[in-house]
Amino acid sequence: MSDQIKFIVDNLNKEPFRKNYNLITFDSLEPMQLLQVLNDVLAEIDPKQVVDIREEMPEQTAKRMLSLLGILKYRPPGNATDMSTFRQGLVIGSKPVIYPVLHWLLQRTNELKKRAYLARFLIKLEVPSEFLQDETVADTNKQYEELMEAFKTLHKECEQLKTSGFSTAEIRRDISAMEEEKDQLVKRVERLKKRVETVQNHQRMLKIARQLRVEKEREEFLAQQKQEQKNQLFHAVQRLQRVQNQLKSMRHAAADAKPESLMKRLEEEIKFNSYMVTEKFPKELENKKKELHFLQKVVSEPAMGHSDLLELESKINEINAQVNQLIEKKMMRNEPIEGKLSLYRQQASIISRKKEAKAEELQEAKEKLASLEREASVKTNQTRELDGAEVLKGDEFKRYVSKLRSKSTVFKKKHQIIAEFKAEFGLLQRTEELLKQRHENVQHQLQTIEEKKGISGYSYTQEELERVSALKSEVDEMKGRTLGDMSEMVKKLNSLVSEKKSALAPVIKELRQLRQKCQEVRGLREECLQEESKYHYTNCMIKNLEVQLRRATDEMKAYVSSDQQEKRKAVREQYTKNIAEQENLGKKLREKQKAIRESHGPNMKQAKMWRDFEQLMECKKQCFLKQQSQTSIGQVIQEGGEDRLIL
């Protein structure tokens, strides 16, 4: 604790606080003074917190400080009960609460300043959803979110520029390095000039070299244009092929279509759509309405507690028990008319379920067919782009379609058989449940009879003996069959292995030769790639050196030129000008900072005097109003600067 107080006192005595505390004076501060110190530290982090807490209610002070500490992500130690203690300690200015907060704030002041600044713009204002239904409010909220995102990007760019900015020393170093490079290039140019001057007709050769460079640049530009035009032509040919293929497919479809098939297809679609509109969709809509009504009813009811839930569960259990009793009574009666009606009802429900299932299957099949057609069109386009050939044409496509139709009919038949099996399985499962219940009843009656006769467990023992004997006979048969099957399987496997070995022997020889060739080709390909990379790297280095030489020549011409405008274009002149401007700007800013520091103390003193004057005038006003509101006892007369009371 003493180290913590020492750290707080040391930081409060430094800039910008300058409190001049020691350990004794700081520890002897009153709660109100300690809260003022905390408020001063918060005001240094966020300038909006500059408040005299004597003029503010304690609850408002605590609320303001807690909100800012929440924005700064301060986590007081302890659990929820300690949180309430923390709030109370902040209101009364408790030292065990204030000291850790001050220690945490003074440790990371610069980081918290940045966080408080960003919180002013990045804390999102939550708008209720019912207000967002208004278009004006929704548009304003959208603009607000877009501005927030723009602020994030701009702040990131600003931070990057601050961290990666160049100083004047770095600029000077760059200028000196460029001057050295320039001198080296000038020397190289002079040496080359001396070499060229000894050659005959060097001026003519330089002119021809210049023309050659211009023609090479033009040739590169024309080659680039040619490649772009080739790409455009290739894409245009592809589009033309796609359109032609679509036209052919549409013509084939129109040629194969017959009026009878079209009418039949339309009738099937009309029947399906009428079923969906008249039967399926109304049922689904009715179910959705019931579900919505139930949910609205649940929402309109008051909130349920644990006791209400237990009561509902007990009612549900009672109703389930009653339903089970009624089902048992119905089964015990076993009325034939009711059984027939239940059978008919069950068959009708099965048929309706099958109809709904078929409708759903048809809808899914249509959606699947549409998706497959889209995929097929995409795959055909990709195939045409790769090799430029059509997939299927004419008779081949017709044969393929006939195969698909035959397979689809077989699939429909198999699917229908599966659906019938499922329906029969449902009936048999229900029958099995009923028979199991009856068997349990019979077993219960048999056990009661055996207990009465004194031979309980006889039927169970008899059944177990029969089951064990049947299992023994089955196991013996399985053993015999298994041994014979295993011996035959081993013979077949041995024969297959020998056949495969003899068939694969020539293939393995060819594969070895091909592997050797593949390794040679791979080595040659790697050597080719290495040589190509070296060639491209050498070309790039030559181009970079030409560009640097051109830049150095232009810089030398601009620097040596007698024309002032050309001289101003030189990089050295521009950097010199920028350095002078930055130095003048820094000098002006330092003078402005000095003036602000000199006038800061008197200005703060004058502002404090003005606030005291306002408080004094307010006090006089209150006294005057209070005097006017009281019942007058006498009359006050002012004469010669004196007040006299006459009763």
Side-chain angles (χ1 to χ4, degrees):
M1 189 70 179
S2 60
D3 295 335
Q4 191 180 60
I5 297 173
K6 186 178 179 182
F7 176 78
I8 295 169
V9 171
D10 291 340
N11 282 275
L12 290 176
N13 291 334
K14 296 177 183 177
E15 292 288 341
F17 304 107
R18 294 184 293 179
K19 295 293 185 179
N20 295 325
Y21 289 140
N22 54 30
L23 295 175
I24 298 171
T25 55
F26 180 74
D27 193 53
S28 61
L29 290 175
E30 296 294 330
M32 188 64 69
Q33 295 174 343
L34 195 60
L35 280 174
Q36 185 64 50
V37 171
L38 177 59
N39 191 79
D40 293 340
V41 176
L42 292 174
E44 179 63 25
I45 294 169
D46 186 6
K48 289 184 179 180
Q49 307 296 322
V50 179
V51 177
D52 190 356
I53 61 173
R54 293 175 297 181
E55 301 173 358
E56 193 177 28
M57 297 296 291
E59 292 81 6
Q60 294 178 355
T61 304
K63 185 178 179 181
R64 177 172 53 80
M65 290 182 177
L66 284 171
S67 63
L68 181 59
L69 289 173
I71 292 170
L72 299 178
K73 296 182 180 180
Y74 174 72
R75 294 288 181 269
N79 49 19
T81 57
D82 293 335
M83 286 295 294
S84 60
T85 308
F86 174 76
R87 294 190 186 93
Q88 293 175 0
L90 193 63
V91 171
I92 63 175
S94 176
K95 292 179 182 180
V97 174
I98 302 295
Y99 285 173
V101 178
L102 284 172
H103 185 263
W104 185 80
L105 293 173
L106 293 171
Q107 274 183 333
R108 45 183 69 82
T109 306
N110 295 326
E111 178 187 351
L112 297 176
K113 280 183 181 179
K114 183 178 178 181
R115 190 176 294 173
Y117 168 74
L118 293 175
R120 292 169 55 192
F121 305 101
L122 297 182
I123 292 178
K124 189 175 180 182
L125 181 63
E126 296 295 336
V127 181
S129 58
E130 57 268 17
F131 293 152
L132 291 174
Q133 301 298 326
D134 190 359
E135 294 182 356
T136 306
V137 177
D139 294 338
T140 307
N141 188 41
K142 187 177 179 182
Q143 292 177 3
Y144 167 67
E145 292 177 352
E146 290 175 354
L147 290 172
M148 188 179 290
E149 294 296 328
F151 173 77
K152 288 180 182 178
T153 56
L154 290 174
H155 180 70
K156 288 180 181 177
E157 292 176 359
C158 180
E159 291 295 324
Q160 290 175 0
L161 289 173
K162 285 180 180 178
T163 54
S164 64
F166 293 103
S167 62
T168 56
E170 291 178 353
I171 293 170
R172 288 194 181 96
R173 284 196 296 271
D174 292 338
I175 291 171
S176 61
M178 290 177 70
E179 286 179 350
E180 291 177 359
E181 291 179 0
K182 178 186 172 184
D183 294 336
Q184 293 176 2
L185 290 171
V186 167
K187 291 178 182 178
R188 289 179 63 185
V189 170
E190 288 177 354
R191 285 197 299 269
L192 291 171
K193 280 183 178 180
K194 289 179 181 179
R195 289 181 184 177
V196 172
E197 285 175 356
T198 58
V199 181
Q200 294 180 357
N201 299 326
H202 65 277
Q203 294 292 338
R204 184 168 172 274
M205 293 177 70
L206 287 173
K207 185 178 179 181
I208 292 169
R210 195 177 297 111
Q211 290 177 357
L212 178 63
R213 180 175 54 80
V214 173
E215 291 299 327
K216 282 185 177 179
E217 291 177 355
R218 186 181 176 190
E219 184 182 1
E220 291 178 358
F221 178 71
L222 291 174
Q224 187 178 2
Q225 280 188 344
K226 184 179 179 182
Q227 187 64 32
E228 290 177 356
Q229 290 177 0
K230 280 184 178 179
N231 293 331
Q232 291 176 1
L233 179 62
F234 177 71
H235 292 305
V237 170
Q238 284 184 343
R239 286 197 296 271
L240 179 62
Q241 288 179 357
R242 285 197 294 270
V243 173
Q244 287 177 353
N245 292 327
Q246 289 178 2
L247 181 61
K248 285 181 182 178
S249 62
M250 291 174 69
R251 285 177 179 174
H252 283 304
D256 294 336
K258 294 181 180 179
E260 293 82 3
S261 61
L262 290 173
M263 290 295 294
K264 189 175 180 181
R265 195 183 307 161
L266 290 173
E267 286 177 357
E268 289 177 356
E269 290 182 358
I270 290 168
K271 287 180 181 179
F272 175 73
N273 292 329
S274 61
Y275 168 72
M276 296 291 288
V277 171
T278 56
E279 296 184 14
K280 192 172 186 302
F281 288 159
K283 288 181 180 178
E284 292 180 356
L285 182 62
E286 187 66 26
N287 293 329
K288 294 293 182 184
K289 284 182 179 179
K290 289 180 180 178
E291 187 177 356
L292 179 63
H293 179 69
F294 176 72
L295 293 173
Q296 289 177 350
K297 186 178 179 182
V298 171
V299 170
S300 62
E301 290 180 356
M304 300 177 69
H306 186 66
S307 59
D308 298 330
L309 291 173
L310 292 175
E311 185 178 356
L312 285 174
E313 286 181 357
S314 63
K315 287 182 180 179
I316 290 168
N317 293 328
E318 290 177 359
I319 292 170
N320 287 331
Q322 292 176 4
V323 169
N324 292 328
Q325 290 177 1
L326 291 173
I327 291 170
E328 290 176 358
K329 288 180 180 179
K330 186 177 178 181
M331 290 175 63
M332 293 298 291
R333 289 175 187 171
N334 198 10
E335 295 179 358
I337 298 172
E338 188 66 26
K340 290 181 181 180
L341 290 175
S342 65
L343 182 62
Y344 292 146
R345 289 196 194 98
Q346 192 173 7
Q347 290 178 355
S349 64
I350 290 169
I351 292 168
S352 64
R353 284 197 299 271
K354 285 172 67 176
K355 193 174 181 181
E356 291 176 357
K358 290 294 181 183
E360 291 178 356
E361 288 174 3
L362 182 59
Q363 186 68 22
E364 291 177 357
K366 284 186 175 181
E367 293 176 356
K368 189 175 181 180
L369 178 61
S371 65
L372 290 173
E373 286 177 353
R374 288 194 295 272
E375 290 180 2
S377 63
V378 172
K379 297 294 183 184
T380 51
N381 291 330
Q382 291 177 357
T383 308
R384 289 165 189 160
E385 290 175 359
L386 290 173
D387 54 3
E390 295 184 3
V391 181
L392 291 175
K393 289 183 179 179
D395 297 333
E396 293 180 358
F397 185 73
K398 288 180 180 179
R399 286 196 293 271
Y400 180 70
V401 171
S402 64
K403 286 181 182 179
L404 285 178
R405 286 175 180 171
S406 62
K407 287 182 180 180
S408 65
T409 53
V410 172
F411 171 74
K412 289 178 181 178
K413 290 178 181 179
K414 298 294 184 183
H415 201 276
Q416 186 176 2
I417 292 169
I418 290 169
E420 291 175 357
F421 283 157
K422 286 181 179 179
E424 290 179 2
F425 176 73
L427 290 172
L428 293 172
Q429 193 173 8
R430 180 61 181 164
T431 306
E432 183 184 5
E433 290 177 357
L434 295 173
L435 291 174
K436 282 182 179 179
Q437 290 178 358
R438 290 182 182 178
H439 178 68
E440 289 176 357
N441 294 328
V442 171
Q443 287 291 113
H444 184 67
Q445 292 176 2
L446 184 61
Q447 287 177 1
T448 53
I449 292 169
E450 287 177 353
E451 288 177 356
K452 288 180 181 179
K453 299 293 184 179
I455 54 171
S456 61
Y458 173 77
S459 59
Y460 177 74
T461 306
Q462 185 68 25
E463 288 177 358
E464 286 293 321
L465 290 172
E466 292 176 358
R467 188 173 63 81
V468 168
S469 62
L471 285 173
K472 184 177 180 301
S473 61
E474 288 178 0
V475 168
D476 293 336
E477 291 178 359
M478 286 175 66
K479 283 181 181 179
R481 287 197 301 269
T482 305
L483 291 172
D485 294 338
M486 287 175 69
S487 61
E488 291 178 0
M489 189 179 293
V490 169
K491 291 179 182 179
K492 288 180 180 179
L493 288 173
N494 290 327
S495 62
L496 284 172
V497 168
S498 60
E499 289 176 1
K500 294 294 181 182
K501 282 182 179 179
S502 61
L504 290 173
V507 178
I508 290 169
K509 290 181 181 179
E510 293 178 359
L511 182 61
R512 288 173 183 171
Q513 296 176 359
L514 291 174
R515 281 179 180 172
Q516 292 177 358
K517 290 181 181 179
C518 181
Q519 289 177 358
E520 292 176 1
V521 171
R522 192 175 296 162
L524 293 173
R525 188 176 293 171
E526 289 178 356
E527 290 179 2
C528 182
L529 290 174
Q530 289 177 1
E531 294 297 330
E532 284 182 0
S533 64
K534 287 180 182 178
Y535 169 73
H536 291 303
Y537 176 74
T538 307
N539 283 337
C540 291
M541 292 298 294
I542 291 169
K543 289 181 180 179
N544 288 332
L545 290 172
E546 288 177 356
V547 171
Q548 290 180 3
L549 180 61
R550 195 181 304 124
R551 287 178 61 190
T553 306
D554 295 338
E555 179 68 19
M556 184 179 68
K557 287 180 181 179
Y559 185 68
V560 176
S561 177
S562 59
D563 190 2
Q564 294 295 328
Q565 292 183 355
E566 290 292 332
K567 231 174 198 181
R568 287 172 187 168
K569 293 180 181 178
V571 178
R572 180 177 181 178
E573 294 294 331
Q574 291 177 3
Y575 277 123
T576 307
K577 186 179 177 181
N578 290 334
I579 290 168
E581 289 177 356
Q582 293 297 324
E583 287 178 352
N584 292 329
L585 181 62
K587 186 176 179 181
K588 289 179 181 178
L589 291 173
R590 283 193 293 272
E591 291 176 356
K592 189 175 180 181
Q593 184 182 12
K594 184 178 178 181
I596 290 170
R597 283 180 179 174
E598 290 175 355
S599 61
H600 177 70
N603 289 337
M604 293 299 293
K605 187 176 180 181
Q606 188 176 1
K608 188 175 184 305
M609 291 172 65
W610 180 256
R611 287 196 296 270
D612 295 339
F613 176 71
E614 285 182 347
Q615 290 179 1
L616 182 61
M617 295 303 294
E618 184 66 24
C619 183
K620 286 186 177 183
K621 179 182 175 183
Q622 294 297 331
C623 293
F624 178 74
L625 292 174
K626 187 175 181 181
Q627 184 179 1
Q628 290 291 331
S629 62
Q630 290 179 354
T631 306
S632 60
I633 301 172
Q635 185 177 4
V636 179
I637 299 174
Q638 296 180 353
E639 291 181 355
E642 295 179 353
D643 296 340
R644 288 187 299 164
L645 178 63
I646 300 174
L647 299 174

